[in-house]
Amino acid sequence: MKFFIDTGQLNEIKQANDWGLIDGVTTNPSLIAKANTTIEELIPRIVEIGDWPISVEVTENHYEGMLQQGRDFTKYGSNIVVKLPMTPDGIKGTRTLAAEGIKVNVTLIFHPIQGLIAAKAGATYASPFVGRLDDIAHSGMELIRDLVNIYDNYDYPTEVLVASVRHPLHVVEAANLGADVATIPFGVLQKFFQHPLTDAGLERFLRDAGKQP
Ligand code: E4P
Protein backbone atom coordinates (compact mmCIF):
# COMPACT_ATOMS: atom_id res chain seq x y z
CA MET A 1 0.00 0.00 0.00
CA LYS A 2 1.25 3.45 -0.87
CA PHE A 3 1.13 6.32 1.59
CA PHE A 4 0.64 9.87 0.35
CA ILE A 5 0.71 12.85 2.70
CA ASP A 6 -2.37 15.09 2.60
CA THR A 7 -1.14 18.58 3.36
CA GLY A 8 -0.12 22.02 2.14
CA GLN A 9 2.68 22.36 4.72
CA LEU A 10 6.20 22.01 3.32
CA ASN A 11 7.78 21.20 6.68
CA GLU A 12 5.37 18.26 7.10
CA ILE A 13 6.21 16.92 3.63
CA LYS A 14 9.95 17.24 4.35
CA GLN A 15 9.65 15.48 7.71
CA ALA A 16 7.49 12.61 6.42
CA ASN A 17 9.77 12.20 3.40
CA ASP A 18 12.77 12.14 5.70
CA TRP A 19 11.15 9.30 7.65
CA GLY A 20 10.89 7.46 4.32
CA LEU A 21 7.17 7.12 4.90
CA ILE A 22 5.64 8.72 1.84
CA ASP A 23 5.14 7.79 -1.80
CA GLY A 24 3.36 10.97 -2.87
CA VAL A 25 1.55 14.16 -1.86
CA THR A 26 -2.03 15.37 -2.20
CA THR A 27 -3.16 18.95 -1.74
CA ASN A 28 -6.49 20.72 -2.09
CA PRO A 29 -7.51 24.39 -2.06
CA SER A 30 -8.46 24.27 1.65
CA LEU A 31 -5.10 22.77 2.68
CA ILE A 32 -3.23 25.36 0.58
CA ALA A 33 -5.26 28.21 2.14
CA LYS A 34 -4.64 26.77 5.62
CA ALA A 35 -0.89 26.80 4.91
CA ASN A 36 -1.26 30.47 3.94
CA THR A 37 0.32 29.92 0.54
CA THR A 38 -0.64 29.61 -3.13
CA ILE A 39 -0.39 26.87 -5.75
CA GLU A 40 2.25 28.91 -7.62
CA GLU A 41 4.37 29.28 -4.48
CA LEU A 42 3.91 25.82 -3.03
CA ILE A 43 4.00 23.31 -5.88
CA PRO A 44 7.50 24.13 -7.27
CA ARG A 45 8.86 23.70 -3.73
CA ILE A 46 7.19 20.30 -3.30
CA VAL A 47 8.58 19.22 -6.69
CA GLU A 48 12.09 19.94 -5.35
CA ILE A 49 11.56 17.48 -2.47
CA GLY A 50 10.56 14.34 -4.34
CA ASP A 51 9.70 12.81 -7.68
CA TRP A 52 6.67 10.94 -6.38
CA PRO A 53 3.13 11.90 -7.61
CA ILE A 54 1.83 15.31 -6.45
CA SER A 55 -1.92 15.91 -6.79
CA VAL A 56 -2.85 19.53 -7.46
CA GLU A 57 -6.53 20.44 -7.53
CA VAL A 58 -8.00 22.81 -10.11
CA THR A 59 -9.91 25.84 -8.85
CA GLU A 60 -11.78 26.33 -12.13
CA ASN A 61 -15.28 24.89 -12.23
CA HIS A 62 -15.90 24.59 -15.97
CA TYR A 63 -14.48 22.23 -18.56
CA GLU A 64 -12.30 24.66 -20.57
CA GLY A 65 -10.93 26.36 -17.46
CA MET A 66 -10.16 23.00 -15.82
CA LEU A 67 -8.29 21.84 -18.93
CA GLN A 68 -6.29 25.06 -19.14
CA GLN A 69 -5.37 24.99 -15.45
CA GLY A 70 -4.64 21.26 -15.48
CA ARG A 71 -2.31 21.54 -18.47
CA ASP A 72 -0.58 24.52 -16.79
CA PHE A 73 0.00 22.47 -13.62
CA THR A 74 1.91 19.82 -15.56
CA LYS A 75 4.56 22.43 -16.35
CA TYR A 76 5.71 22.16 -12.72
CA GLY A 77 6.95 18.62 -13.34
CA SER A 78 6.25 15.28 -14.96
CA ASN A 79 5.05 13.95 -11.59
CA ILE A 80 2.08 16.35 -11.34
CA VAL A 81 -1.34 14.71 -11.11
CA VAL A 82 -4.28 16.98 -11.92
CA LYS A 83 -7.09 16.74 -9.40
CA LEU A 84 -10.55 17.21 -10.88
CA PRO A 85 -13.90 17.15 -9.08
CA MET A 86 -16.56 14.47 -9.50
CA THR A 87 -18.82 16.59 -11.71
CA PRO A 88 -19.87 16.27 -15.38
CA ASP A 89 -17.21 18.84 -16.36
CA GLY A 90 -14.63 17.12 -14.16
CA ILE A 91 -15.32 13.72 -15.71
CA LYS A 92 -15.29 15.15 -19.23
CA GLY A 93 -11.99 16.84 -18.34
CA THR A 94 -10.65 13.55 -16.98
CA ARG A 95 -11.31 11.84 -20.29
CA THR A 96 -9.64 14.65 -22.24
CA LEU A 97 -6.54 14.99 -20.04
CA ALA A 98 -6.13 11.22 -19.74
CA ALA A 99 -6.17 10.98 -23.56
CA GLU A 100 -3.31 13.52 -23.57
CA GLY A 101 -1.33 11.31 -21.18
CA ILE A 102 -1.93 13.56 -18.16
CA LYS A 103 -2.64 11.74 -14.91
CA VAL A 104 -5.89 12.68 -13.19
CA ASN A 105 -7.09 12.17 -9.62
CA VAL A 106 -10.89 12.42 -9.43
CA THR A 107 -11.77 13.87 -6.05
CA LEU A 108 -14.92 14.13 -3.90
CA ILE A 109 -16.10 10.56 -4.48
CA PHE A 110 -18.81 9.48 -2.05
CA HIS A 111 -20.62 6.67 -3.89
CA PRO A 112 -19.49 3.55 -5.82
CA ILE A 113 -21.18 4.76 -9.02
CA GLN A 114 -19.01 7.90 -8.91
CA GLY A 115 -15.91 5.74 -8.58
CA LEU A 116 -17.04 3.61 -11.53
CA ILE A 117 -17.52 6.73 -13.66
CA ALA A 118 -14.04 8.00 -12.73
CA ALA A 119 -12.47 4.69 -13.79
CA LYS A 120 -14.39 4.61 -17.07
CA ALA A 121 -13.17 8.15 -17.82
CA GLY A 122 -9.54 7.02 -17.42
CA ALA A 123 -8.64 8.45 -14.01
CA THR A 124 -5.29 7.32 -12.64
CA TYR A 125 -6.63 7.74 -9.08
CA ALA A 126 -10.13 7.89 -7.60
CA SER A 127 -10.39 9.57 -4.20
CA PRO A 128 -13.23 8.31 -1.96
CA PHE A 129 -13.57 10.43 1.22
CA VAL A 130 -13.97 8.02 4.13
CA GLY A 131 -13.90 10.47 7.06
CA ARG A 132 -16.56 12.76 5.64
CA LEU A 133 -18.83 9.74 5.04
CA ASP A 134 -18.28 8.46 8.58
CA ASP A 135 -19.15 11.98 9.81
CA ILE A 136 -22.67 11.65 8.40
CA ALA A 137 -23.09 8.09 9.72
CA HIS A 138 -22.40 6.36 6.39
CA SER A 139 -19.66 3.76 6.21
CA GLY A 140 -16.57 5.11 4.46
CA MET A 141 -15.03 1.64 4.45
CA GLU A 142 -18.03 0.11 2.64
CA LEU A 143 -17.25 2.50 -0.20
CA ILE A 144 -13.62 1.35 -0.24
CA ARG A 145 -14.74 -2.30 -0.28
CA ASP A 146 -17.07 -1.61 -3.22
CA LEU A 147 -14.48 0.29 -5.26
CA VAL A 148 -11.71 -2.28 -4.75
CA ASN A 149 -14.14 -5.00 -5.80
CA ILE A 150 -15.52 -3.13 -8.83
CA TYR A 151 -12.07 -2.17 -10.16
CA ASP A 152 -10.95 -5.74 -9.64
CA ASN A 153 -14.02 -7.15 -11.47
CA TYR A 154 -13.22 -5.18 -14.62
CA ASP A 155 -9.44 -4.88 -14.31
CA TYR A 156 -9.60 -1.09 -14.25
CA PRO A 157 -6.10 0.29 -13.68
CA THR A 158 -7.53 3.21 -11.63
CA GLU A 159 -6.09 3.20 -8.12
CA VAL A 160 -8.31 3.56 -5.05
CA LEU A 161 -6.82 6.51 -3.17
CA VAL A 162 -8.40 6.59 0.29
CA ALA A 163 -8.89 10.25 1.29
CA SER A 164 -10.30 12.13 4.27
CA VAL A 165 -8.36 9.79 6.58
CA ARG A 166 -8.87 10.65 10.25
CA HIS A 167 -6.98 7.98 12.21
CA PRO A 168 -4.61 5.00 11.83
CA LEU A 169 -7.48 2.48 11.86
CA HIS A 170 -8.80 3.97 8.61
CA VAL A 171 -5.46 3.06 7.04
CA VAL A 172 -5.40 -0.45 8.52
CA GLU A 173 -8.97 -1.16 7.42
CA ALA A 174 -8.29 0.20 3.92
CA ALA A 175 -5.11 -1.91 3.69
CA ASN A 176 -7.09 -5.02 4.67
CA LEU A 177 -9.53 -4.26 1.88
CA GLY A 178 -6.72 -3.94 -0.67
CA ALA A 179 -6.91 -0.18 -1.33
CA ASP A 180 -3.93 1.00 -3.41
CA VAL A 181 -3.15 4.27 -1.62
CA ALA A 182 -4.11 6.21 1.49
CA THR A 183 -3.50 9.94 1.67
CA ILE A 184 -2.81 10.73 5.28
CA PRO A 185 -2.60 13.96 7.30
CA PHE A 186 0.72 14.53 9.10
CA GLY A 187 -0.88 14.18 12.56
CA VAL A 188 -2.11 10.70 11.65
CA LEU A 189 1.31 9.69 10.25
CA GLN A 190 2.86 10.71 13.60
CA LYS A 191 0.39 8.45 15.39
CA PHE A 192 1.74 5.42 13.47
CA PHE A 193 4.79 5.49 15.72
CA GLN A 194 2.88 5.83 18.97
CA HIS A 195 2.13 2.85 21.15
CA PRO A 196 2.36 2.78 24.97
CA LEU A 197 3.98 -0.69 24.89
CA THR A 198 6.61 0.54 22.41
CA ASP A 199 7.43 3.45 24.76
CA ALA A 200 7.47 1.28 27.90
CA GLY A 201 9.50 -1.45 26.17
CA LEU A 202 12.10 0.98 24.90
CA GLU A 203 12.36 2.68 28.27
CA ARG A 204 13.09 -0.68 29.95
CA PHE A 205 15.65 -1.73 27.29
CA LEU A 206 17.50 1.57 27.65
CA ARG A 207 17.42 1.42 31.46
CA ASP A 208 18.74 -2.19 31.42
CA ALA A 209 21.49 -1.06 29.05
CA GLY A 210 22.49 1.58 31.61
CA LYS A 211 21.33 4.43 29.37
CA GLN A 212 18.98 7.30 30.03
CA PRO A 213 15.58 6.87 28.29
C1 E4P B 1 -7.57 14.45 -0.36
O1 E4P B 1 -7.16 14.53 -1.46
C2 E4P B 1 -8.69 15.24 0.20
O2 E4P B 1 -8.66 16.54 -0.30
C3 E4P B 1 -8.65 15.23 1.68
O3 E4P B 1 -8.25 13.96 2.13
C4 E4P B 1 -9.91 15.72 2.35
O4 E4P B 1 -9.86 15.44 3.72
P1 E4P B 1 -10.80 16.13 4.81
O5 E4P B 1 -12.13 15.49 4.76
O6 E4P B 1 -10.10 15.88 6.11
O7 E4P B 1 -10.86 17.59 4.45
Side-chain angles (χ1 to χ4, degrees):
M1 184 187 216
K2 286 174 273 189
F3 290 166
F4 291 177
I5 185 168
D6 195 28
T7 187
Q9 307 277 354
L10 270 181
N11 58 332
E12 295 182 352
I13 297 168
K14 283 181 187 157
Q15 177 64 84
N17 189 54
D18 198 47
W19 286 333
L21 268 194
I22 57 166
D23 308 294
V25 176
T26 54
T27 60
N28 66 36
S30 309
L31 292 169
I32 290 175
K34 193 171 158 203
N36 208 16
T37 184
T38 60
I39 290 174
E40 295 75 18
E41 238 174 50
L42 179 69
I43 304 305
R45 300 190 66 191
I46 302 178
V47 168
E48 283 169 15
I49 302 173
D51 59 3
W52 16 242
I54 303 165
S55 285
V56 189
E57 188 163 339
V58 297
T59 51
E60 294 291 333
N61 209 18
H62 298 290
Y63 176 69
E64 292 296 346
M66 286 177 183
L67 290 188
Q68 180 67 51
Q69 215 181 9
R71 290 177 186 135
D72 283 351
F73 288 166
T74 63
K75 291 175 190 148
Y76 291 118
S78 56
N79 49 338
I80 297 296
V81 177
V82 177
K83 216 168 161 189
L84 297 180
M86 179 60 234
T87 62
D89 283 31
I91 288 300
K92 189 175 162 191
T94 300
R95 197 172 283 281
T96 304
L97 292 181
E100 293 172 17
I102 296 173
K103 291 186 172 167
V104 177
N105 173 356
V106 176
T107 190
L108 292 166
I109 290 179
F110 292 95
H111 194 279
I113 196 67
Q114 296 181 320
L116 180 52
I117 287 171
K120 283 172 69 64
T124 298
Y125 302 100
S127 290
F129 279 36
V130 293
R132 292 192 198 184
L133 275 173
D134 289 354
D135 286 345
I136 59 161
H138 284 246
S139 168
M141 281 305 139
E142 275 309 306
L143 176 57
I144 303 305
R145 188 191 308 278
D146 282 342
L147 289 182
V148 168
N149 188 42
I150 289 168
Y151 291 177
D152 192 43
N153 283 347
Y154 295 96
D155 285 332
Y156 283 123
T158 306
E159 297 191 28
V160 177
L161 198 172
V162 182
S164 190
V165 164
R166 300 279 162 77
H167 48 69
L169 267 185
H170 271 151
V171 180
V172 172
E173 287 167 1
N176 268 317
L177 293 172
D180 303 279
V181 194
T183 188
I184 307 164
F186 184 71
V188 177
L189 282 174
Q190 281 179 308
K191 286 188 182 146
F192 290 1
F193 295 106
Q194 294 164 7
H195 197 287
L197 291 179
T198 303
D199 297 343
L202 181 62
E203 195 181 328
R204 192 194 302 169
F205 284 151
L206 287 173
R207 205 177 44 242
D208 290 348
K211 304 231 168 103
Q212 284 300 316

